Amino acid sequence: MLKVDQIDVYYGNIHALKGVSLDVAEGEIVTLIGSNGAGKSTLLKTLSGLLKPKKGDIQYLGASVAGKPVQDIVKAGISHVPEGRRVFANMSVEENLELGAYLRKDKQGIREDIEKVYELFPRLLERRKQLSGTLSGGEQQMLAMGRAMMARPKLLLLDEPSMGLAPLLVKAIFNIIEEINRSGTTVLLVEQNANMALSIANRAYVIETGKVVLSGTAAELQASDKIKSAYLGGH
Ligand code: ATP
């Protein structure tokens, strides 16, 4: 479904991604693990069109999307839930969900999908009229994910959904990621919580200072001594 081929991404002189390649097959949950500043968010931003690779290519469903406008990429079925959630604080929960469908015109379908999001996240239904800025961190994460689902993505890019959440809530969010995946959405998940990420992923890539240094099935990485000591220890 997605094939990232040797991409290089820069911020000015900073070489943030160095020849990164990875694949995601339809139906998978693939996770990208790595410490702070490794380049994980940069990779997701490049996939969603916010950054342009200087070299290399990104093939998605058989066509190149490298450097395409964000809007075209959303239309093609890639939705990005950025780190830190970024909900529209002065709008209600429901207005945020409606905005997630901004490229769609099928009113009936949009209504049905809002109901589906409420089934997935009953907490959002209870709070549909509430201003999003007053939601808890976990509720904002749910809203950000719900809003991304409103674009009917085929591939969902999630950037650190567990960040700042209490363990029980992390578990709930990860259960929902699995549910979204079971209902047919492919997931690329960036996480610092490698334990949780590997527990739901099919495969994983480890990224360090802008390079993929290791990849394999989630089970292989969970069993790797290097991963155990570097990423699964204190988390
Ligand atoms: P974190 O989990 O801390 O967000 P990350 O793996 O997602 O880490 P990135 O945010 O992708 O890391 O950052 C990769 C590198 O690019 C870092 O060295 C970072 O300082 C640099 N970087 C990120 N954004 C910018 C920017 N807007 N301008 C300049 N450098 C940036």
Side-chain angles (χ1 to χ4, degrees):
M1 174 180 230
L2 179 76
K3 190 171 180 54
V4 177
D5 188 18
Q6 296 280 327
I7 59 167
D8 277 31
V9 177
Y10 290 81
Y11 297 100
N13 291 328
I14 298 171
H15 196 174
L17 294 180
K18 301 166 187 161
V20 168
S21 297
L22 61 84
D23 294 291
V24 180
E26 196 162 348
E28 280 192 305
I29 298 180
V30 173
T31 186
L32 203 60
I33 55 186
S35 41
N36 278 78
K40 306 178 300 296
S41 302
T42 300
L43 180 63
L44 292 197
K45 286 179 192 160
T46 309
L47 296 177
S48 64
L50 295 168
L51 296 171
K52 281 189 204 322
K54 200 160 188 173
K55 275 197 201 145
D57 195 19
I58 302 167
Q59 290 278 324
Y60 166 72
L61 297 175
S64 177
V65 292
K68 286 260 164 70
V70 173
Q71 211 162 308
D72 293 2
I73 293 178
V74 174
K75 270 193 194 147
I78 300 181
S79 273
H80 182 191
V81 182
E83 192 174 1
R85 290 121 206 185
R86 313 265 167 81
V87 297
F88 298 102
N90 291 322
M91 293 181 155
S92 71
V93 165
E94 192 145 311
E95 285 164 345
N96 267 273
L97 292 179
E98 283 162 1
L99 273 176
Y102 76 109
L103 291 173
R104 294 173 54 187
K105 297 199 170 64
D106 53 325
K107 279 221 166 85
Q108 177 65 24
I110 292 171
R111 208 47 251 171
E112 285 166 14
D113 285 353
I114 288 181
E115 296 309 320
K116 276 193 206 149
V117 169
Y118 287 150
E119 275 170 34
L120 210 51
F121 302 102
R123 185 72 76 90
L124 296 182
L125 176 62
E126 288 165 24
R127 291 163 192 272
R128 54 199 283 254
K129 302 276 181 225
Q130 187 171 326
L131 284 186
S132 303
T134 64
L135 296 173
S136 73
E139 289 161 354
Q140 289 191 19
Q141 181 61 45
M142 293 175 195
L143 179 56
M145 286 168 62
R147 189 179 59 192
M149 292 307 290
M150 290 302 299
R152 289 208 174 162
K154 298 185 179 84
L155 173 63
L156 184 64
L157 309 176
L158 294 172
D159 199 346
E160 305 233 10
S162 77
M163 195 169 59
L165 303 185
L168 261 183
L169 208 49
V170 172
K171 191 104 197 38
I173 293 283
F174 274 71
N175 286 339
I176 291 166
I177 296 169
E178 285 187 295
E179 206 173 319
I180 287 172
N181 176 251
R182 271 197 299 274
S183 66
T185 308
T186 305
V187 176
L188 180 57
L189 168 69
V190 159
E191 261 301 336
Q192 282 200 46
N193 188 336
N195 266 320
M196 283 301 288
L198 290 173
S199 76
I200 67 164
N202 303 104
R203 291 188 305 111
Y205 291 85
V206 180
I207 183 162
E208 277 174 14
T209 55
K211 289 186 183 152
V212 172
V213 293
L214 201 63
S215 64
T217 65
E220 281 164 359
L221 265 69
Q222 276 167 323
S224 141
D225 286 338
K226 182 176 174 347
I227 297 302
K228 275 191 210 159
S229 62
Y231 299 102
L232 302 177
H235 288 274

